[in-house]
Amino acid sequence: MEISNLTMLQKDVLREIGNIGAGNAATSLSKLVNRRIDMQAPVIKMVNYEEIMGLIGGPEEIITAIVFRIEGEAPGTVYFILSVNEAENLIQEIIQKPEVKLSDSPSNTLAISVLEEVGNILTGAYISALSDLTQINMYPSVPYFSLDMAGAILTAGLVELSQITDCAIIIDTKMNPSTLQDEINGSFLFVPDPDAFHELFQSLGINEYE
């Protein structure tokens, strides 16, 4: 099954998974920081490689990414992507230390640890929602942090899949910490292995195209 051929019903299923995941993630993040963090209903798009690069600023844009390998019956790869500025805003909001910077070596370990924990919460929430709705066993690996050009981070993970399909699912996630004036925009990119979509939608009883 090619991602670009998804029906409206299948897209609605993914949207529902995104909504459930966002709600669960907001609750978990709020508990983590002991402050209210709202998450807007996510926007889910089916995109190809060029569109992914465009959405995050181009292949030469410096980004942060928390990368997970999804194991189980419907494997794939997850990238939680933030701009460097928004990643630092999120870190500072969570630990209430405005001096912490990703580029500052003494605080780098703490900053990365915070981002990895946020990535764990978001990925766990979305994958749990997906697993619950499909009744398919799925679980994320230990997170891997990367700070590099978008092309360098994403190319390695997408080149092999591009031989079979050039599309992936991207969930635009907007977080609204109660003490920040501006929202934090992140992208949750799920690149299923080639056979995973058939397995996922078959488990939901969605087998026909419109």
Side-chain angles (χ1 to χ4, degrees), residues 27-37 93-94 178:
T27 299
S28 296
L29 285 171
S30 296
K31 290 179 179 178
L32 174 68
V33 302
N34 199 30
R35 295 184 300 283
R36 180 175 176 175
I37 293 183
E93 165 66 17
I94 288 175
S178 58

Side-chain angles (χ1 to χ4, degrees), residues 127-175:
I127 295 303
S128 177
L130 184 58
S131 183
D132 289 345
L133 283 177
T134 60
Q135 295 298 298
I136 290 178
N137 182 35
M138 303 170 67
Y139 51 92
S141 69
V142 173
Y144 169 76
F145 171 80
S146 185
L147 173 62
D148 205 338
M149 290 189 296
I153 292 174
L154 296 175
T155 297
L158 297 180
V159 163
E160 183 177 348
L161 280 178
S162 69
Q163 306 303 313
I164 302 170
T165 177
D166 66 349
C167 293
I169 302 169
I170 193 164
I171 303 175
D172 286 337
T173 301
K174 297 183 186 296
M175 289 171 276

Side-chain angles (χ1 to χ4, degrees), residues 50-63 81 83 150-151 154 187:
E50 288 75 20
E51 290 172 320
I52 292 170
M53 289 300 176
L55 288 169
I56 59 179
E60 297 184 356
E61 181 75 10
I62 302 297
I63 62 170
I81 300 168
S83 71
L154 296 175
S187 295

